[in-house]
Amino acid sequence: MSTDTLKGKVAIVTGGSRGIGRAIVLKLAACGADVAFSGRSLNDNTASLEKEVAALGQRAKGYAADAGDYEASQAFVQQVIEDFGKVDILVNNAGITRDNLLIRMSEEEWDAVLKSNLKSVFNITKAVVPSMMRARSGSIINIASVVGRYGNAGQANYSASKAGMIAFTKSIAQEFGSRGIRANAIAPGFISTDMTADLSEEVLKSWTAAIPLKRAGTPEDIAKVVAFFASDDSAYITGQVLNVCGGMKM
């Protein structure tokens, strides 16, 4: 995509300071968008990402906001609109894992994942949609997972949260399509991030062996698809879920 594909657009990316979120921020900026991104706290990652975006000729600002908290989400989005004037693109990317077999899973592990991964999508989307409705335009992109479509042992909480995100995407696509607002989901497979860095070499080899493309995905692989859904190149696509998994799930 060219450097002016998203020229004049403003994006919000939750969980944007590292991993997949960071790659998304940089890709949207490289396509011409200004980007507001959130994390639980402001840190060195926040400052360095703001500088990287500035080097691309775009504006970026990091915000400390817990997307799983309703009031904090409302305040965050309102501040972004005050600072940037509007929101054209929303990428719901914030998320955590608390993996465990169901028989051993605690209530805290269940609740923490559902709050961070699914309630956050409700919180931020609800805060952003009024502005998009007034503009009669917008693209909402939810970062789900292939396990939200197919399940995975030891990830009942994570799988449920991502399946809920997919159903949420399809529902709001129906609700807001007549207002010019599109909603799509991306379902990453095995992506090399901080979340996978602690896996053993043996596990990494067994996982990649099961992927037809024989490699783990990168955060940039996901970011490229986000840029497509954010742009007018996908103007007639809504309510869809795209696996980005190297063929791991077909």
Side-chain angles (χ1 to χ4, degrees), residues 18-147:
R18 61 191 181 94
I20 291 174
R22 189 183 189 93
I24 291 169
V25 171
L26 290 171
K27 183 61 177 179
L28 295 179
C31 292
D34 292 330
V35 188
F37 62 95
S38 68
R40 290 182 180 272
S41 61
L42 301 178
N43 51 42
D44 291 343
N45 287 337
T46 309
S48 65
L49 183 53
E50 289 174 343
K51 290 179 181 178
E52 285 186 63
V53 171
L56 294 170
Q58 300 301 137
R59 181 185 177 195
K61 184 175 180 180
Y63 299 78
D66 179 1
D69 181 281
Y70 183 82
E71 296 299 331
S73 296
Q74 292 284 323
F76 161 55
V77 171
Q78 184 56 45
Q79 189 61 55
V80 170
I81 292 173
E82 290 180 15
D83 292 343
F84 288 82
K86 60 176 182 172
V87 178
D88 303 291
I89 301 156
L90 169 62
V91 184
N92 284 306
N93 170 72
I96 62 171
T97 56
R98 295 289 186 273
D99 295 349
N100 216 336
L101 295 174
L102 181 63
I103 196 69
R104 299 172 184 164
M105 186 175 292
S106 67
E107 181 181 13
E108 186 279 329
E109 288 171 331
W110 175 272
D111 288 347
V113 170
L114 270 291
K115 178 183 178 183
S116 180
N117 298 9
L118 184 56
K119 188 171 188 288
S120 64
V121 178
F122 166 79
N123 292 343
I124 300 291
T125 304
K126 187 173 173 63
V128 164
V129 159
S131 175
M132 289 184 172
M133 289 177 69
R134 287 191 293 272
R136 301 192 69 84
S137 176
S139 179
I140 298 167
I141 304 149
N142 295 324
I143 308 302
S145 170
V146 292
V147 304

